[in-house]
Amino acid sequence: MNCLKCFLGGASPKGFRTHFGEMIADTEYYTYIIKGGPGTGKSTLMKRLAEAFPDEEKELYQCSSDPDSLDAAVFKERKVIFVDGTAPHTFDPEYPGASQQILDLGACWDASLLKKNKEEIISVTSEYLRHHASCRRFITALAAVADDTCQTARAALNEEKLEGFTERLAAKLLPRKKGAGEGKTEFRQLSALTPKGYITNVPEDYAAYMLCDSYFAGSDMFLRRFADIAASRGYGVSVSVCTLHGSERFEHILIPELRIAFMTADPINALSLETKQPINFRRFYDKSALLAKKTRLKFNEAALKNLRGEAVKCLVSAKAEHDRLEEYYIEAVDFDSVKRIEYDMISRIKGMGKQ
């Protein structure tokens, strides 16, 4: 059964950015918002819940600070969500008990052990936050450079030519649906900056088109327009933005019903999809206009690579401090109690039935 892997959100110049709150606000779903410190078993709980329903359609949301951990699990057929509701993505119930509720793993720890290590926990937490603050400064610089490239390229973009190409491709790939209303547009974060570098989840069962765009502007315009056309013809659209830009630039889109993906390859994500269908966006820019800015654009491209590398180093250091922090909490947690919560949640999900 299909399982979409994505991120809950990602680092941005203004801190962590996510659209997941929109999913929690969807009252068709019942959401369990998990609270508890690092190492209390939030990610493990969600992994085990996902493993308990291997043949069902799910969305698994990785943590951008640690891609091996989960921040959320969405069970599409049973309309139930589990999400880590702790910082930097703090969530709380909007309709307590009716559509969302708190699942407190903090009730499973021995607070006396944590108080015993109070000074160490505060110190390690401060270091963890310091590294994230450094990361944000590099990302702020990266965003400024990326936006400069995007603005420079936008002035050289042949919008009429790109619009014509977009319309023709949409006519080819998006058959009209009789009687279909407006399709729903949702956000699904496929890419994020992590301690392992900039990671992109490419859906395996999709026909993927790779948009090769060194300058951001053309691919952003194409994706926005294609998404609008798809929605107007009744297709649902999943949009993935690049959080590292100052504004939310469209980076990828999915048309789930048709199993079509458009994935951008650019200097930030350095995505390589050699086996996919490439679309070279250089044809949509005025060559002479880009040539006049060649030195500036080359400088920007090198700067983006270097700034991204420094931001990743900060995330690596932050993860090391987070791992230290987890040790204090793991020591204090009664995992037998967590296991009982796991069994209870599996029973509840089964009781909800498929919709």
Side-chain angles (χ1 to χ4, degrees):
M1 185 63 70
N2 178 49
C3 178
L4 180 66
K5 292 184 179 180
C6 41
F7 290 94
L8 193 72
S12 82
K14 296 183 179 180
F16 188 83
R17 182 185 292 172
T18 180
H19 283 275
F20 199 81
E22 297 170 13
M23 179 167 282
I24 295 174
D26 184 348
T27 54
E28 288 188 10
Y29 284 84
Y30 195 89
T31 302
Y32 291 93
I33 300 172
I34 309 173
K35 301 288 187 176
T40 52
K42 300 186 295 294
S43 172
T44 300
L45 171 63
M46 287 184 277
K47 286 180 180 179
R48 287 177 176 165
L49 292 175
E51 290 169 358
F53 300 89
D55 299 323
E56 296 190 13
E57 185 178 4
K58 297 181 289 293
E59 292 179 356
L60 300 181
Y61 291 75
Q62 295 167 276
C63 172
S64 57
S65 293
D66 180 5
D68 295 326
S69 295
L70 289 184
D71 272 344
V74 177
F75 298 84
K76 302 284 286 184
E77 298 171 58
R78 297 178 188 269
K79 298 296 184 183
V80 62
I81 297 170
F82 290 85
V83 61
D84 182 341
T86 59
H89 35 79
T90 303
F91 300 116
D92 288 296
E94 185 175 355
Y95 306 108
S99 189
Q100 308 96 12
Q101 76 177 67
I102 297 292
L103 190 60
D104 185 15
L105 297 191
C108 302
W109 66 37
D110 183 343
S112 65
L113 290 176
L114 297 174
K115 289 178 182 178
K116 183 183 71 173
N117 295 309
K118 174 182 175 180
E119 297 303 323
E120 290 85 353
I121 290 173
I122 292 174
S123 176
V124 174
T125 300
S126 296
E127 280 298 293
Y128 168 78
L129 294 174
R130 184 178 68 82
H131 289 304
H132 270 289
S134 296
C135 178
R136 190 157 57 249
R137 286 192 288 272
F138 283 116
I139 289 174
T140 300
L142 184 152
V145 174
D147 288 344
D148 181 73
T149 292
C150 192
Q151 292 298 324
T152 300
R154 187 167 285 122
L157 186 62
N158 187 330
E159 295 188 9
E160 184 177 350
K161 183 178 181 180
L162 179 54
E163 175 72 16
F165 170 80
T166 307
E167 294 281 354
R168 290 191 298 274
L169 190 60
K172 177 182 176 182
L173 298 178
L174 300 173
R176 291 190 178 276
K177 299 166 66 177
K178 290 183 179 180
E182 185 79 7
K184 187 177 181 180
T185 298
E186 301 176 316
F187 287 89
R188 295 293 184 273
Q189 195 67 40
L190 297 177
S191 297
L193 190 73
T194 80
K196 294 184 177 182
Y198 197 91
I199 294 178
T200 297
N201 289 306
V202 182
E204 295 180 357
D205 59 341
Y206 278 62
Y209 293 81
M210 186 170 71
L211 314 181
C212 305
D213 186 10
S214 299
Y215 310 117
F216 309 119
S219 53
D220 179 59
M221 177 182 169
F222 168 84
L223 291 172
R224 289 177 184 275
R225 180 61 184 140
F226 199 94
D228 285 344
I229 295 172
S232 70
R233 295 186 180 180
Y235 293 99
V237 181
S238 296
V239 175
S240 179
V241 299
C242 179
T243 63
L244 300 185
H245 273 253
S247 58
E248 290 199 327
R249 175 179 64 85
F250 279 28
E251 187 174 18
H252 319 294
I253 64 170
L254 306 178
I255 315 294
E257 184 177 341
L258 300 176
R259 286 297 187 265
I260 294 174
F262 289 96
M263 315 293 296
T264 302
D266 59 45
I268 291 180
N269 60 40
L271 188 60
S272 177
L273 300 174
E274 295 179 0
T275 61
K276 307 304 179 183
Q277 303 177 67
I279 301 174
N280 192 336
F281 270 71
R282 282 187 177 273
R283 72 175 107 164
F284 303 116
Y285 295 104
D286 183 291
K287 294 180 181 178
S288 60
L290 291 181
L291 186 61
K293 301 290 186 178
K294 180 180 178 181
T295 301
R296 179 174 179 171
L297 292 170
K298 282 290 184 183
F299 172 85
N300 284 1
E301 186 172 354
L304 289 172
K305 181 179 180 180
N306 291 332
L307 289 167
R308 184 189 64 211
E310 292 303 316
V312 168
K313 290 178 184 177
C314 293
L315 290 178
V316 170
S317 297
K319 185 181 181 305
E321 297 301 328
H322 189 272
D323 290 347
R324 288 180 60 199
L325 200 56
E326 283 188 337
E327 293 176 6
Y328 294 108
Y329 284 85
I330 289 172
E331 180 187 0
V333 173
D334 176 3
F335 285 103
D336 287 337
S337 295
V338 175
K339 195 73 174 177
R340 285 192 288 272
I341 291 174
E342 174 193 329
Y343 292 144
D344 179 51
M345 288 298 103
I346 291 174
S347 296
R348 291 196 194 187
I349 296 173
K350 288 180 177 178
M352 290 177 175
K354 297 182 181 181
Q355 299 182 25

